[in-house]
Amino acid sequence: VVLAPGELVSLGGPISKEVTGYDLKALIVGSEGTLGVVTDVWLRLMPAPQATSGMVAFHTDHARGCQAVADVLACGVVPGAIDFLDGRALEITRMAYPGDVPNGAGFVVVIEVDGSSDDVAEHAVTVGEAVSVEALAVHDVDVRSMWRWREGVSNAVSSVRHGKVSEDVIVPVNRLDEALGRFHELANARGLDACAWGHGGDGIVHATSIVDHTDPDQLAQAEAFTHEIFALAIDLGGAVSGEHGLGWVKRDELASQWPRAGVAAHDRVKDALDPKGLFNPGKKSSRGFGALGSVVMP
Amino acid sequence: VVLAPGELVSLGGPISKEVTGYDLKALIVGSEGTLGVVTDVWLRLMPAPQATSGMVAFHTDHARGCQAVADVLACGVVPGAIDFLDGRALEITRMAYPGDVPNGAGFVVVIEVDGSSDDVAEHAVTVGEAVSVEALAVHDVDVRSMWRWREGVSNAVSSVRHGKVSEDVIVPVNRLDEALGRFHELANARGLDACAWGHGGDGIVHATSIVDHTDPDQLAQAEAFTHEIFALAIDLGGAVSGEHGLGWVKRDELASQWPRAGVAAHDRVKDALDPKGLFNPGKKSSRGFGALGSVVMP
C-alpha cells in the first residue's frame, strides 16, 4: 500500500499471522482507498471443495423460514451458503425457479453444502432435516441451476417496474425474522412494493423497494424508506452495510450508526494516515461534503 | 473498549460482518492495551469436531520433515494442527513420547485431523500418505496422549540446564527448512545448545537456546543469538513474533522488522488514539523508553 506522503509499504505478507505491530493491514482492507492506495495483495487460497450439494426449502412465511435458518445454523454442520428470498422476491422469480414452487410458499431458504464427497452426502442429510421442520417442500437442486436462479433475483426485481432502491444491511441473525417483519410494515405504511433477499446465514438483507423510476413520489417514498431501513438495522444491533461498505452513497450513515466517540476515533485514524485529506475524499465519511442525493438503481 | 479520553465504545458486535467504517476492532485486537482498554468481547464459536485423530511422523532430518509438512499442506485436507519438533527437541522429550521413537529420527511432525467421523477416517488416510513419504515411521497416537507429550516440550527443555532463552518467530512456511538450518548454524557458531519446535503449518518456530541461567557467558551468547534469530526471521520474510505480540521484551523489534514508513504509520495511529501516551506506555514500541534488557525464562 502507498501511504501518505507517498511511500510504498508492505503490511502482513505471505505469513499466516503477523502480530508484531498493530493490524494496519486490517485497517487498510475495507477502507475504500481513504487511507492509502493498495497496489498489490497476497491472497490465501483454500482447497476447492470436492463436492457440492444444493437444497431449496419452501416455508409458509418469514417467521417459519427464519426459524429454519436458525435451525440450520444450530445443526452442527456449517453450510457453504445459506441464502433466502422472502415471499415477494419468490413471487417475482418463481417462473425462473428450476422446479415447481409449492402452493402457499412465502419464504425460501437456499443452501449449498460443500466438502468431501462423503461429508456432503452426510451433511446434506443433517442440514435437510434441520431445514425441513414444518417446510412445505425441500428440493434437492443442481447447484449451478440453483445459483443461476438465485443470482437472477436482482435483475428480475429491477424489471418489474424498471427501478428499485436496494439496500445492503446486516442484522444479528437471531433478529432476521424481526427485521423482515418490520421491513414490510414500514413498506406498507408508505404504500411501497417491497421485497427482500440475501444471505440468511450472515443476517445480510438486500432490502428493496420496487419503484417506477419516472415517478418522483415513489422515489421520494423509497428514499425515506431507505433511511428507515438503516435505522431499523441499527436498532436491531446491525449495520447499514453488510457487504459493500459506505462509498459515496452512504457517506452520511457512519455517524448515524457508530457512537460519537467511535466516529471521533474513525476520524482521528483518517487524519493520522491522510493528514491532507487526499485519499478518496468524502468516501466513508461525510466530513466536509454535502448531504446524500437520491439513490436509484435502474 | 474504552477509548481516550475515556468513552466506552462498542466496535463490531454480534454480527458476522461490519464493513461500515474502518475495522477499528481489528486495530484494537492485538494492540496489547496501547490503544484503549478492552472491557468486553464477543466471541464467535465453532462447532466442536465430532472426531479427532492423532498422528506422529518421524523423519531423518529437518529437510525431509519440512518437505513432509509442505506435502501435508498441499494434500487437499486441512488438518486441525501441524506441529513439529526438531531433532534436539525430540531427544530431550523422547522418554515422554507415548510409543517407541525409531532409531535415526531427527525431526517429528505432529498432526491432528478433526471433523466428522467419516471425514476424519478418510482425511487421516490422505494426510498419512502425504506425511509418510520417506518417513522412518508414522504412528497413530491417541490425541490426548499426543498433546500431553507435545505440551511438555517447553518444560522438558527448561529442565535440561535450568534455563532457556526461547523466541516465538514466524517464517513463510515454504522457508521453514531454511530457517531451521540457519538457526542451528547460528547456534553452533556461538557454541549454544539449541532446539526448535512449533507450529509447522503456520511457520511458527519456538527457537530456543538451552542455557545454565547462572552462567553469564551463556546468557550473553543467548541474548546475542536471540537478535540473530529475529534478523533471520525478518530476512526470510517472516516476523519477530508469531503468536505473542511484542509487549515490553520485544518493544525494540518493531523498527527492525517494519519499513520506516510502516513504523511511522504505526506511531501516527498510536498518537491519534492515545495522544497523551497513557495506554500501556512503552509496549509495542520503544519510543521514549530505554533499550532491551536480558530475557531469561527459568
Side-chain angles (χ1 to χ4, degrees):
Chain A
V1 60
V2 177
L3 297 177
E7 282 197 64
L8 188 63
V9 177
S10 284
L11 302 170
I15 47 178
S16 58
K17 299 184 190 177
E18 217 286 61
V19 297
T20 309
Y22 301 144
D23 194 351
L24 300 188
K25 179 186 69 185
L27 191 64
I28 298 294
V29 172
S31 65
E32 304 180 30
T34 63
L35 299 178
V37 178
V38 175
T39 59
D40 279 296
V41 294
W42 281 280
L43 297 175
R44 186 189 301 196
L45 305 182
M46 304 170 62
Q50 190 182 10
T52 55
S53 175
M55 190 184 305
V56 177
F58 297 90
H59 288 272
T60 49
D61 54 41
H62 61 77
R64 194 44 245 156
C66 291
Q67 184 58 49
V69 169
D71 290 346
V72 171
L73 289 171
C75 80
V77 168
V78 182
I82 310 173
D83 271 20
F84 77 93
L85 281 69
D86 75 357
R88 180 66 175 127
L90 172 62
E91 190 180 353
I92 292 167
T93 59
R94 70 184 299 151
M95 296 293 288
Y97 176 69
D100 292 322
V101 174
N103 288 332
F107 196 88
V108 194
V109 184
V110 179
I111 295 176
E112 179 177 324
V113 174
D114 57 19
S116 67
S117 302
D118 285 352
D119 242 18
V120 164
E122 186 186 318
H123 289 181
V125 172
T126 306
V127 170
E129 285 171 3
V131 82
S132 293
V133 179
E134 297 183 35
L136 296 170
V138 179
H139 296 168
D140 290 327
V141 181
D142 170 68
V143 166
R144 290 171 70 165
S145 304
M146 182 178 87
W147 289 121
R148 190 165 53 230
W149 164 66
R150 164 61 187 87
E151 286 162 9
V153 171
S154 181
N155 281 339
V157 169
S158 293
S159 69
V160 172
R161 209 165 281 128
H162 303 292
K164 67 174 163 59
V165 179
S166 195
E167 275 313 326
D168 152 48
V169 298
I170 185 168
V171 297
V173 72
N174 62 332
R175 317 246 359 219
L176 182 60
D177 174 42
E178 189 178 351
L180 294 173
R182 286 170 62 182
F183 165 76
H184 279 291
E185 283 169 19
L186 292 166
N188 291 342
R190 292 189 175 276
L192 286 166
D193 181 10
C195 66
W197 67 94
H199 314 305
D202 280 333
I204 290 175
V205 181
H206 298 312
T208 301
S209 51
I210 303 168
V211 295
D212 175 350
H213 72 285
T214 65
D215 181 336
D217 275 358
Q218 273 189 9
L219 290 178
Q221 288 290 341
E223 188 178 326
F225 180 50
T226 292
H227 288 278
E228 291 174 339
I229 293 168
F230 291 153
L232 171 61
I234 295 166
D235 184 51
L236 292 173
V240 300
S241 178
E243 300 180 295
H244 302 297
L246 290 184
W248 179 256
V249 166
K250 294 191 193 177
R251 66 191 185 279
D252 284 331
E253 300 304 327
L254 187 70
S256 60
Q257 182 188 321
W258 281 29
R260 197 201 54 79
V263 175
H266 194 273
D267 289 346
R268 288 201 301 274
V269 168
K270 166 72 172 173
D271 292 341
L273 295 185
D274 183 20
K276 296 191 176 177
L278 300 176
F279 287 127
N280 217 359
K283 306 294 165 56
K284 280 264 186 228
S285 163
S286 60
R287 280 195 305 164
F289 286 82
L292 180 67
S294 302
V295 190
V296 181
M297 287 150 63
Chain B
V1 59
V2 178
L3 297 177
E7 283 198 65
L8 188 63
V9 177
S10 284
L11 301 170
I15 48 178
S16 57
K17 299 184 191 178
E18 217 287 61
V19 298
T20 309
Y22 301 143
D23 193 352
L24 300 188
K25 180 185 70 185
L27 192 63
I28 298 293
V29 172
S31 66
E32 305 180 29
T34 64
L35 299 178
V37 178
V38 175
T39 59
D40 280 296
V41 295
W42 281 282
L43 297 176
R44 185 188 304 196
L45 305 182
M46 304 170 62
Q50 190 183 8
T52 54
S53 175
M55 191 185 303
V56 177
F58 297 90
H59 288 272
T60 50
D61 52 42
H62 61 78
R64 196 43 244 155
C66 291
Q67 184 57 49
V69 169
D71 290 345
V72 170
L73 289 171
C75 81
V77 169
V78 182
I82 311 173
D83 271 20
F84 77 93
L85 282 69
D86 75 356
R88 180 64 176 128
L90 172 62
E91 190 181 351
I92 292 167
T93 59
R94 70 185 297 152
M95 297 294 288
Y97 176 69
D100 292 323
V101 174
N103 289 331
F107 196 88
V108 194
V109 184
V110 179
I111 294 175
E112 179 177 324
V113 174
D114 57 20
S116 68
S117 302
D118 284 352
D119 242 17
V120 165
E122 187 185 318
H123 289 180
V125 171
T126 306
V127 170
E129 284 171 5
V131 82
S132 292
V133 179
E134 296 184 36
L136 295 170
V138 179
H139 296 168
D140 289 327
V141 181
D142 170 69
V143 165
R144 291 171 70 165
S145 304
M146 182 178 86
W147 289 122
R148 190 165 54 231
W149 163 66
R150 164 63 188 85
E151 287 164 7
V153 170
S154 181
N155 281 339
V157 169
S158 293
S159 69
V160 172
R161 209 167 280 129
H162 303 293
K164 67 174 163 57
V165 179
S166 195
E167 274 313 327
D168 152 48
V169 297
I170 185 168
V171 296
V173 72
N174 62 333
R175 320 262 334 237
L176 183 60
D177 174 41
E178 189 178 352
L180 294 174
R182 287 170 62 182
F183 165 76
H184 279 292
E185 282 169 20
L186 292 167
N188 291 341
R190 293 189 175 275
L192 286 166
D193 181 10
C195 66
W197 67 94
H199 314 303
D202 281 331
I204 290 175
V205 181
H206 298 312
T208 301
S209 51
I210 303 168
V211 295
D212 175 349
H213 72 285
T214 64
D215 181 336
D217 275 359
Q218 274 190 8
L219 291 178
Q221 288 290 340
E223 189 178 324
F225 180 49
T226 291
H227 288 278
E228 290 174 341
I229 293 168
F230 292 153
L232 171 62
I234 295 166
D235 184 51
L236 293 173
V240 300
S241 178
E243 300 180 293
H244 302 297
L246 290 184
W248 179 255
V249 165
K250 295 190 191 176
R251 67 192 186 278
D252 285 331
E253 300 304 326
L254 188 70
S256 61
Q257 182 187 320
W258 282 29
R260 197 201 54 78
V263 174
H266 193 274
D267 289 345
R268 287 201 301 273
V269 168
K270 166 71 172 171
D271 292 342
L273 294 185
D274 183 19
K276 296 191 174 176
L278 300 176
F279 286 128
N280 218 1
K283 305 295 164 55
K284 281 265 187 226
S285 161
S286 60
R287 279 194 306 165
F289 286 82
L292 179 67
S294 303
V295 191
V296 181
M297 287 150 62

